[in-house]
């Protein structure tokens, strides 16, 4: 799909999403393309590792709130809820990728973009990049599977602080908190991720996939999954009502 491209070389898939503008915000087309790319990568035996990256200077500045395809105003409740959960289906697809996934982050990763980055097994952040989760301050819940992912990585108290205070998490702090794994010079995140991916590609692939599956199965008791999408939908309806 337009804006999402997958290239495979030396058993490494690079999935790039880039709208070439609009702060690389995630619209319906990018979300569909990213979901499809995750499914495609996961089913291919010739891919050992995947790199997920955005535009050269920005990973993703959240969700494109102007894209009505994501909200379906005027439609029925069920159709609107399904549309709003498209991002959750996308992040769910990336969480289910069989191979290790490394997110290469340049610039801001905000809201839905930050959640997408958390679906990767590892994150390489450029020195001036940062993460933000502004949803609660905007009157919404952290959807798309982001809440359990954030708590899994930083613990409940820090997750509350990050969400309640809308903290801007710079790369070095993200490294200290366990939200990223390596910090590199600006403009080199993808290259650093590729070097790391090449190391992982040398590991016996079945053992790598089985071990990833076992660890994720143990760690990810997604207690929020059953209700998270509904809470996101209800929160959005409340925000809409308050703005009228």
């Amino acid at each position: 799909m337009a804006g999402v491209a997958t290239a495979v070389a030396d058993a490494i898939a690079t999935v790039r999403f880039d709208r070439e503008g609009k702060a690389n915000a995630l619209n319906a087309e990018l979300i569909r393309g990213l979901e499809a790319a995750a499914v495609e990568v996961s089913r291919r035996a010739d891919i050992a590792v995947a790199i997920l990256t955005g535009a050269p200077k920005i990973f993703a500045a959240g969700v494109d709130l102007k894209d009505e395809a994501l909200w379906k105003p005027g439609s029925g409740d069920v159709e609107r809820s399904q549309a709003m959960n498209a991002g959750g289906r996308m992040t769910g697809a990336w969480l289910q990728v069989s191979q290790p996934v490394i997110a290469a982050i340049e610039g801001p990763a905000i809201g839905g973009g930050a959640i997408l980055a958390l679906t990767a097994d590892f994150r390489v952040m450029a020195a001036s990049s940062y993460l933000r989760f502004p949803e609660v301050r905007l009157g919404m819940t952290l959807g798309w599977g982001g809440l359990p992912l954030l708590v899994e990585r930083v613990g409940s108290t820090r997750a509350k602080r990050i969400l309640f205070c809308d903290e801007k998490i710079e790369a070095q702090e993200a490294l200290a908190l366990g939200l990223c794994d390596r910090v590199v010079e600006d403009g080199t995140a993808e290259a650093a991720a590729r070097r790391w991916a090449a190391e992982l590609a040398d590991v016996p692939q079945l053992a790598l996939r089985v071990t990833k599956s076992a660890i994720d199965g143990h760690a990810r008791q997604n207690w929020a999954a059953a209700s998270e999408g509904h809470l996101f939908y209800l929160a959005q309806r409340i925000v809409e009502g308050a703005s009228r």
Side-chain angles (χ1 to χ4, degrees):
M1 292 185 181
V4 180
T6 302
V8 180
D10 300 322
I12 299 169
T14 301
V15 178
R16 188 184 317 280
F17 61 101
D18 187 353
R19 292 181 65 181
E20 299 181 350
K22 298 188 177 180
N24 214 31
L26 296 166
N27 62 1
E29 188 171 27
L30 277 188
I31 288 170
R32 287 194 300 270
L34 282 163
E35 180 183 3
V39 173
E40 172 69 12
V41 166
S42 189
R43 74 171 186 81
R44 288 183 55 170
D46 61 320
I47 295 174
V49 187
I51 297 170
L52 176 62
T53 192
K57 294 186 178 180
I58 184 168
F59 189 76
V63 179
D64 186 350
L65 298 177
K66 295 183 179 179
D67 185 1
E68 293 191 349
L70 291 174
W71 314 109
K72 294 290 184 74
S75 300
D77 286 344
V78 172
E79 188 176 359
R80 293 201 68 196
S81 179
Q82 289 175 339
M84 290 183 191
N85 277 318
R89 293 190 293 273
M90 172 195 69
T91 55
W94 278 99
L95 285 170
Q96 293 171 32
V97 170
S98 303
Q99 306 92 325
V101 178
I102 304 172
I105 303 170
E106 296 281 352
I110 300 172
I115 297 169
L116 177 61
L118 290 187
T119 67
D121 299 289
F122 310 110
R123 278 151 299 284
V124 176
M125 294 180 67
S128 64
S129 64
Y130 63 87
L131 305 171
R132 268 188 65 207
F133 301 88
E135 283 80 359
V136 174
R137 284 293 182 97
L138 295 174
M140 296 182 289
T141 59
L142 188 66
W144 295 11
L147 186 59
L149 285 174
L150 183 61
V151 174
E152 173 189 318
R153 285 163 172 76
V154 303
S156 60
T157 300
R158 282 175 173 160
K160 291 173 186 175
R161 190 188 77 199
I162 288 167
L163 294 173
F164 297 173
C165 301
D166 184 16
E167 293 189 347
K168 179 180 177 181
I169 308 166
E170 308 280 1
Q172 287 296 338
E173 183 182 4
L175 183 65
L177 289 174
L179 287 171
C180 89
D181 303 276
R182 298 181 183 181
V183 176
V184 297
E185 292 182 4
D186 288 347
T188 68
E190 184 178 340
R194 188 170 304 281
R195 289 193 294 272
W196 194 358
E199 295 176 18
L200 295 177
D202 284 337
V203 178
Q205 291 306 298
L206 183 58
L208 202 63
R209 293 185 186 214
V210 170
T211 302
K212 172 179 173 173
S213 177
I215 291 172
D216 288 350
H218 174 75
R220 289 182 182 157
Q221 303 297 321
N222 192 342
W223 42 266
S227 61
E228 194 177 53
H230 300 300
L231 289 172
F232 178 65
Y233 170 67
L234 292 172
Q236 179 63 22
R237 291 299 300 271
I238 291 169
V239 170
E240 290 172 353
S243 66
R244 292 194 181 108

